[in-house]
Amino acid sequence: MPKAIDNLNNLKKNSVTRRLGHTTLCLLWPLFLIACPRSAPPDGGNVGVSTQPAKVSPVVPGAVAFNGERAMAHVRKQVDIGPRPPGSPELAKTREYIVNELKSYGLTVSTFEFAASTPVGEKKMVNITAEIPGESNDVVILSSHYDTKFYKDMHFVGANDPGASVGTLIELGRVLSGNGQKPKFTLWLVFFDGEESFCEGWDECGKPGAPDNTYGSRNYVSELKSKNQLDRVRALILLDMMGYSNLELGRDTMSTKWLQDIIWQTARELGHGSVFVDRPEGVGGDDHEPFLRAGVDAVDIIQLNSYRYWHTPEDTIDKVSARSMKTVGDVVVASLPRVEQRLSSKSR
Ligand SMILES: [Zn+2]
């Protein structure tokens, strides 16, 4: 909480604190934390555009609360299915599970199939979209990939990559469609196929304009363009590898700053400043990239460099925690009204 310490120092300069002394300061500490974010955001008010950013609360009274155990059940289901690379019957089974879950919450779900030419031949891929209608026709996308990386000689079940982000996104579908309140913007929950490269390395087999990765998100953007729908998409929030029990999320250096600031600030206000930390996270490419290239503001919530089980047989369910998924779920739910508020006052 570096920012909060700055406030304390400022206060120290003025007479009040000089009289109080150190011990009293510690007692008052939580008051500063409670008082500051509401009245004056510690980072100089970069967060909200209007003077009064939307109040932060993980749960609106009477609303559905994000349930980490439910998200965990979705992770377990995927892991039980086994390795789920693009074009596999296991991924088709996972897709059926995701679609049925989302439909059971009353969401309108559509799938889009396309053929991708990959280093291991042509692969049938399918993107999934679930819609929560909003007051506006403009769209905010919440997303995750749902394929696991293809390995010939490794039993890779991808509990955190992408089991946890898929489980969190399904549970967000239940929460955001269940709170009986129409969101300001239409929400699309999108599950991308083909995020992972078929060759070992992300850039190993790519050609100019045809990388061996992000097949689903690239197809999604080109479909939006061909249907003149891209303008509707005002922002994208991507979840990837955010379920590790020892969760620490740095700031992806590619992501759109205002969007990232809102989420990190909201996390701090919810007491998750030690999870959403202010150190840079170099990701070097993920499903938000095709959207950024197309001019859509996008943020990637990902723990990559400090997840040592990445793309190993040890990326198993014991590494994933319901609590980590609930932390991210709560922060996303609480951040959305602020994102919508910012977009409402922001020209395209
Ligand atoms: Zn991966």
Side-chain angles (χ1 to χ4, degrees):
M1 290 184 258
K3 307 263 183 245
I5 291 171
D6 298 340
N7 283 322
L8 255 184
N9 292 337
N10 301 341
L11 278 172
K12 262 194 206 134
K13 286 193 212 78
N14 66 33
S15 64
V16 181
T17 41
R18 219 169 282 128
R19 277 198 303 281
L20 285 174
H22 185 64
T23 35
T24 328
L25 269 176
C26 299
L27 293 172
L28 286 176
W29 178 260
L31 293 178
F32 288 116
L33 288 181
I34 297 170
C36 291
R38 293 258 162 85
S39 52
D43 60 357
N46 292 336
V47 175
V49 284
S50 65
T51 53
Q52 292 304 316
K55 288 261 173 302
V56 70
S57 161
V59 185
V60 177
V64 178
F66 188 100
N67 182 321
E69 291 306 330
R70 291 184 71 117
M72 197 62 172
H74 300 315
V75 178
R76 198 166 289 115
K77 181 75 188 180
Q78 292 168 77
V79 167
D80 290 349
I81 291 172
R84 315 170 290 288
S88 68
E90 289 79 14
L91 193 65
K93 212 169 157 188
T94 307
R95 181 162 53 249
E96 197 188 334
Y97 175 75
I98 294 171
V99 169
N100 290 340
E101 277 297 311
L102 296 167
K103 282 185 175 168
S104 75
Y105 311 145
L107 298 178
T108 311
V109 186
S110 58
T111 57
F112 184 82
E113 185 179 314
F114 63 100
S117 65
T118 79
V120 294
E122 190 157 286
K123 289 282 178 189
K124 179 191 113 172
M125 296 191 184
V126 184
N127 288 331
I128 307 166
T129 304
E131 179 170 288
I132 300 174
E135 287 160 15
S136 155
N137 209 28
D138 279 1
V139 172
V140 172
I141 294 179
L142 306 178
S143 60
S144 165
H145 75 104
Y146 72 109
D147 59 302
T148 56
K149 188 168 174 58
F150 166 73
Y151 285 104
K152 277 198 219 88
D153 47 21
M154 188 212 286
H155 186 75
F156 179 71
V157 295
N160 191 25
D161 181 19
S165 51
V166 169
T168 302
L169 194 54
I170 296 173
E171 175 60 3
L172 280 170
R174 186 183 72 88
V175 170
L176 295 167
S177 63
N179 67 18
Q181 247 181 319
K182 218 178 190 184
K184 238 196 196 121
F185 284 70
T186 294
L187 301 176
W188 286 348
L189 305 174
V190 178
F191 299 76
F192 298 117
D193 199 344
E195 183 260 357
E196 301 283 7
S197 60
F198 285 85
C199 292
E200 180 56 38
W202 183 258
D203 299 317
E204 191 180 329
C205 302
K207 299 189 186 73
D212 170 28
N213 54 58
T214 59
Y215 293 91
S217 51
R218 287 184 291 118
N219 177 274
Y220 206 93
V221 169
S222 66
E223 282 303 309
L224 285 170
K225 282 181 182 163
S226 68
K227 295 177 181 130
N228 286 323
Q229 295 277 307
L230 187 63
D231 268 1
R232 284 181 66 190
V233 181
R234 302 292 305 282
L236 173 126
I237 298 174
L238 176 65
L239 306 178
D240 196 359
M241 299 173 60
M242 33 48 59
Y244 185 27
S245 47
N246 189 1
L247 186 65
E248 197 202 67
L249 298 160
R251 288 172 173 257
D252 163 48
T253 48
M254 226 188 248
S255 293
T256 306
K257 189 157 183 326
W258 72 264
L259 195 46
Q260 196 177 60
D261 283 349
I262 286 179
I263 293 169
W264 261 246
Q265 169 62 32
T266 305
R268 255 198 304 267
E269 288 177 37
L270 290 176
H272 299 309
S274 60
V275 174
F276 287 75
V277 296
D278 281 329
R279 67 161 169 73
E281 176 86 28
V283 176
D286 203 344
D287 280 325
H288 59 328
E289 217 183 328
F291 289 84
L292 289 167
R293 273 204 303 271
V296 177
D297 293 337
V299 61
D300 192 2
I301 299 175
I302 181 170
Q303 177 180 19
L304 175 63
N305 301 307
S306 53
Y307 184 59
R308 57 198 173 91
Y309 306 107
W310 178 61
H311 289 177
T312 74
E314 285 76 46
D315 181 4
T316 45
I317 196 141
D318 55 307
K319 309 301 181 317
V320 176
S321 92
R323 190 177 135 183
S324 294
M325 291 186 281
K326 177 164 176 56
T327 297
V328 174
D330 283 348
V331 169
V332 170
V333 170
S335 301
L336 272 175
R338 291 175 163 193
V339 171
E340 292 174 326
Q341 190 179 34
R342 177 70 178 255
L343 289 172
S344 307
S345 62
K346 189 171 177 287
S347 58
R348 263 173 222 287

